[in-house]
Amino acid sequence: MRRLGSVRRGLTAMLTAVSVAVLATAVAAKDVSRENTLIFENISERVTTPENYNPFLPSTLLHAGLQQVGFESLFYYNYETTKIEPWQAESYAFNDKFDEVTIKLRSGITWSDGVPFTAKDVVYTMNMLKANAPALGNWSVNAKTWVKDIVAVDDQTVKITLTSANPRFILDTFGVRIYGVTFILPEHIWKDKDPMTFSNYDLSKGWPVSTSPYGLVASNSTEVTWDRRDDWWGAKTGFKRLPKPERVLFRTAGSEERRAAMAVNNELDTLWVMGRANFESVKAQNPDVAAWYKDPPYAYLDPCPRYLAFNTTLKPFDDPKLRWAMSYAMNRDAIVDIAWEGLTKPAKWMTADYPALTKFIDPNNDLFEKYPTLAFDTQKTAEIMESEGYAKDGDGLWAKDGKHVSLDIVIRQGEADQTKMAPVVTQLLRRGGFDANFQLADIAAYTDALNSGRANAWLDVSCGGVSDPYATFDLYHSRHAAPMGQVATGARSRWKNADFDKIVDEMAVTDSEDPKLQELTRKGLELWLPELPAVPLVQAALLASVNNHYWKNWPDEKNNYYHPGWWWASALPLVVNVEPAK
């Protein structure tokens, strides 16, 4: 990849000051048997910045333990119960207008260094994020957008005044709606630090300091180790039992073939995505390996459909007609058959096929007939391109004024489904006459390319609404569309539409059960679909699995106490529930 952006450069300069020798020789404080060690797979091929434990820097790799066991959340949204379950907090209450919310924290919570966890930490975190938006990513944009004022009423009470009504504020900000969350930081550690450069990493000082039952003891590019803190507040106060795993280790597999071999040999207790054939082969050799469903499609439906994205400020991707031309070149059935081995289905829009969401999308099927996002029609592609003044050259590629429509599609390493989709999507585009190529990038380089605007196209995940479609629409609000070279957030497409913004702003203050939200959904689609700022591709049935050889009581379709996203910030409710298998 080319040079990284300013945030990435600043972080790299800061990290060079950390002793590599200390990192290389960092060892766990004690010997722990395999039977007492829970081994998660790090779903990325490597940890690109193993000395960085700042949870809000866009380049930070969260799913090597930092968000699963490194921090705790105020609340956790349980997909199976559709309830927001309290954790660090014990309750929340909105006023009648939904423009003020009061959060009550649990008593007896302490940081890992013994300092009490209080409302002042919540106030510090939100104000810090507001002051550093948008450089600290979507969480900082969310704080700046919604938090008008925040005060500590007392040590256990936080009062937040919102900029306007927002009935989803707790879910979106503190509930792990999808994947990540706004973690609360210890003010006494962070208050004198620059959050744009602070690595939050010093094993000799016990950093990162958190309230979690686990503390970091070793970190390198392929393995990260967290050991149980037996003085965890949750066990001391009777909130939860002390987790059974004495150690939680995050290990890199690196490839699907290596993952399959490690699964057969019981070297991993959780397994990132495998193709159908590999999964069925592994299960035949090791019956302890299991997915959410016993039978196909095996996988739990991920809330984030996959799509082809564009930087809509770059020519020719600023032209909606060309974006539609590329959509017509997409044979989504081929993507399903080849990249997903038939275990998913095409996505007509950017929301998952959850009942709570389809009730908002399906009533607009007439719009999807008018704007057929599922259509594969290369003749329609040709009609659009010719009407725009393009002609195919000797290589069969569309050109105008001697220039091809060139896409350098950025793909994030470790996202197994997207690395499999990349050659299929690229080939479909080339067959449609577009000069398409793809390039793999680690998470830091991928994030920088999207945030800075350097990428002209990429494959991405549409992580938005789960209980209604507002959060998906919000990804395309203009407040996320930073100028080139500055950090874009949301969908990072930099698409702007003032009328669309007004609709999204209305959706934000409208409750899920209000019939008005159906009307606003339709109005939003009427503006989004003809513009097509991104091309929906497929639903995401991620065949991530678990291994019951050493640890049991993982959730599944019959034991559905929680959803199975062990790479999310909601992994801790799984960790405290797993039991030794023997």
Side-chain angles (χ1 to χ4, degrees):
M1 296 298 293
R2 306 179 188 93
R3 68 174 182 84
L4 305 182
S6 58
V7 172
R8 172 72 171 143
R9 289 198 306 272
L11 176 61
T12 301
M14 174 272 296
L15 292 179
T16 58
V18 178
S19 170
V20 176
V22 172
L23 175 66
T25 59
V27 294
K30 57 186 178 181
D31 292 328
V32 179
S33 67
R34 175 65 178 95
E35 289 78 10
N36 291 313
T37 302
L38 175 61
I39 304 180
F40 282 82
E41 181 180 348
N42 168 11
I43 69 174
S44 294
E45 290 190 6
R46 64 190 182 95
V47 182
T48 52
T49 54
E51 314 92 336
N52 172 28
Y53 285 84
N54 180 329
F56 295 120
L57 286 176
S59 58
T60 301
L61 182 68
L62 294 171
H63 50 245
L66 180 59
Q67 72 173 10
Q68 294 106 315
V69 298
F71 278 91
E72 297 179 300
S73 181
L74 291 177
F75 303 92
Y76 293 104
Y77 178 73
N78 187 329
Y79 276 46
E80 291 302 294
T81 65
T82 68
K83 303 294 184 183
I84 297 176
E85 299 178 355
W87 196 276
Q88 289 173 319
E90 64 179 23
S91 66
Y92 70 92
F94 282 100
N95 65 355
D96 292 341
K97 296 180 179 179
F98 288 100
D99 61 4
E100 184 179 285
V101 62
T102 300
I103 301 172
K104 296 291 290 185
L105 304 179
R106 293 189 188 276
S107 299
I109 302 178
T110 56
W111 294 102
S112 52
D113 60 3
V115 175
F117 170 91
T118 72
K120 292 180 181 178
D121 297 306
V122 181
V123 172
Y124 164 78
T125 300
M126 299 309 290
N127 284 333
M128 182 277 291
L129 288 171
K130 284 178 64 178
N132 289 276
L136 291 184
N138 282 333
W139 304 117
S140 65
V141 173
N142 180 71
K144 186 174 182 179
T145 301
W146 291 109
V147 178
K148 181 179 181 180
D149 187 41
I150 179 169
V151 295
V153 177
D154 55 45
D155 282 351
Q156 264 63 58
T157 309
V158 180
K159 181 179 177 181
I160 304 175
T161 303
L162 304 177
T163 53
S164 65
N166 183 353
R168 304 170 190 82
F169 179 77
I170 292 294
L171 172 63
D172 290 349
T173 308
F174 301 120
V176 196
R177 171 172 49 84
I178 295 178
Y179 182 69
V181 74
T182 302
F183 290 117
I184 305 305
L185 304 174
E187 181 188 21
H188 66 284
I189 299 294
W190 284 72
K191 63 182 179 180
D192 298 322
K193 308 296 189 300
D194 180 354
M196 292 301 301
T197 59
F198 180 44
S199 69
N200 196 31
Y201 173 82
D202 189 328
L203 298 184
S204 67
K205 295 180 179 179
W207 294 354
V209 169
S210 79
T211 65
S212 167
Y214 292 90
L216 181 69
V217 296
S219 177
N220 62 46
S221 62
T222 60
E223 196 165 279
V224 180
T225 307
W226 305 78
D227 277 359
R228 190 178 67 193
R229 295 193 299 105
D230 292 350
D231 63 346
W232 177 48
W233 71 268
K236 290 172 67 175
T237 63
F239 169 60
K240 296 286 182 182
R241 70 176 190 184
L242 193 67
K244 295 298 178 67
E246 295 179 21
R247 170 168 295 162
V248 182
L249 190 151
F250 290 79
R251 177 174 290 164
T252 297
S255 69
E256 186 170 332
E257 291 71 23
R258 174 65 178 147
R259 177 178 306 120
M262 294 172 78
V264 171
N265 293 328
N266 296 313
E267 297 174 39
L268 293 170
D269 300 315
T270 69
L271 306 158
W272 188 225
V273 175
M274 286 188 280
R276 178 175 185 167
N278 265 342
F279 173 76
E280 291 174 346
S281 174
V282 166
K283 189 165 178 56
Q285 297 174 75
N286 185 351
D288 287 335
V289 173
W292 181 262
Y293 297 109
K294 182 179 179 180
D295 301 309
Y298 302 120
Y300 194 90
L301 182 63
D302 189 79
C304 308
R306 275 39 176 169
Y307 68 101
L308 175 63
F310 311 102
N311 181 341
T312 61
T313 65
L314 297 177
K315 292 185 178 300
F317 308 105
D318 60 339
D319 184 351
K321 294 179 181 178
L322 263 70
R323 299 196 290 264
W324 266 106
M326 286 182 274
S327 179
Y328 282 119
M330 290 292 101
N331 184 342
R332 292 161 178 82
D333 290 333
I335 298 172
V336 169
D337 292 342
I338 299 170
W340 292 80
E341 297 181 63
L343 293 182
T344 192
K345 62 181 181 179
K348 69 180 179 183
W349 200 57
M350 314 300 280
T351 48
D353 283 346
Y354 292 170
L357 297 171
T358 56
K359 73 177 184 180
F360 288 94
I361 304 303
D362 287 352
N364 301 289
N365 280 337
D366 60 315
L367 288 178
F368 288 97
E369 291 177 6
K370 183 177 180 181
Y371 303 105
T373 52
L374 294 176
F376 170 51
D377 188 343
T378 53
Q379 182 57 42
K380 190 69 175 177
T381 298
E383 291 176 7
I384 293 173
M385 297 305 290
E386 288 170 358
S387 70
E388 293 293 288
Y390 287 85
K392 283 191 174 180
D393 62 13
D395 296 322
L397 300 175
W398 297 109
K400 183 166 65 172
D401 300 327
K403 293 183 179 180
H404 291 146
V405 179
S406 298
L407 298 85
D408 296 313
I409 305 173
V410 183
I411 310 295
R412 201 180 101 189
Q413 289 176 337
E415 293 287 352
D417 61 283
Q418 290 162 70
T419 57
K420 290 182 177 182
M421 288 169 60
V424 183
V425 170
T426 300
Q427 186 62 29
L428 289 169
L429 286 167
R430 294 193 71 85
R431 289 181 180 181
F434 301 98
D435 184 14
N437 298 281
F438 71 89
Q439 53 181 311
L440 297 177
D442 63 41
I443 186 171
Y446 176 89
T447 301
D448 179 72
L450 273 56
N451 285 1
S452 66
R454 182 163 48 77
N456 64 16
W458 59 94
L459 293 184
D460 208 350
V461 294
S462 179
C463 295
V466 293
S467 55
D468 69 57
Y470 159 71
T472 304
F473 280 91
D474 180 62
L475 294 172
Y476 297 90
H477 192 287
S478 294
R479 69 170 170 271
H480 297 296
M484 286 286 289
Q486 297 182 23
V487 176
T489 54
R492 296 180 282 199
S493 63
R494 290 176 161 79
W495 180 67
K496 292 184 178 182
N497 185 304
D499 291 332
F500 183 83
D501 290 349
K502 293 176 183 177
I503 292 168
V504 175
D505 289 341
E506 281 193 72
M507 295 179 79
V509 301
T510 305
D511 187 73
S512 299
E513 302 304 318
D514 190 332
K516 183 180 178 182
L517 193 61
Q518 286 278 9
E519 301 172 17
L520 292 170
T521 297
R522 183 174 182 85
K523 289 180 179 179
L525 289 172
E526 287 173 337
L527 294 173
W528 195 97
L529 286 170
E531 288 279 316
L532 202 70
V535 174
L537 295 175
V538 296
Q539 294 288 329
L542 294 180
L543 218 179
S545 51
V546 296
N547 187 346
N548 292 282
H549 185 77
Y550 288 106
W551 298 98
K552 64 182 181 179
N553 198 35
W554 296 101
D556 59 28
E557 64 172 320
K558 294 182 178 179
N559 182 29
N560 63 330
Y561 65 87
Y562 211 78
H563 52 282
W566 47 261
W567 57 99
W568 285 19
S570 53
L572 200 54
L574 307 185
V575 175
V576 299
N577 275 288
V578 296
E579 299 276 356
K582 298 179 181 179

